[in-house]
Amino acid sequence: FKGSFSSDVPVTFLLGIGSLVDSFEAIGACPAGEELIVALKPKKSDASLSEFFLAIDRGSYDPTGAKVVDLGGNETSIKFLSPTFNIEVSR
């Protein structure tokens, strides 16, 4: 999963080990059907990250997907199909 992105910033958030508030500033949002697409700007300069968009469910505010755009204009999008949140992972 981590190898799919050229920047570690979105990956740490999507894996649940980063902080959205600490790492990004919301610069805009627009409704898209049942989702809200939030445009995020990294608070710290990232040489490989141009844009990061987070899709959230308009009712539950759970994340439903994300899109990362690198400086070369390459886009990587993911969609969460049946997410389960806050479960304990056995070791």
Side-chain angles (χ1 to χ4, degrees):
F1 178 76
K2 187 175 179 180
S4 299
F5 298 96
S6 58
S7 173
D8 288 341
V9 177
V11 175
T12 57
F13 166 68
L14 293 172
L15 291 175
I17 56 176
S19 170
L20 185 66
V21 173
D22 291 343
S23 300
F24 296 97
E25 173 186 354
I27 58 172
C30 66
E34 298 296 314
E35 295 176 320
L36 183 66
I37 308 300
V38 181
L40 301 167
K41 176 182 175 183
K43 288 185 176 179
K44 294 181 182 177
S45 179
D46 188 318
S48 59
L49 179 64
S50 175
E51 299 176 290
F52 180 41
F53 299 93
L54 183 64
I56 59 172
D57 182 276
R58 290 174 69 181
S60 68
Y61 298 107
D62 290 332
T64 58
K67 179 170 80 170
V68 176
V69 183
D70 69 18
L71 292 178
N74 300 303
E75 298 180 3
T76 303
S77 297
I78 59 171
K79 184 77 173 165
F80 305 129
L81 298 178
S82 297
T84 304
F85 300 101
N86 300 320
I87 62 167
E88 188 170 328
V89 177
S90 61
R91 295 179 185 213

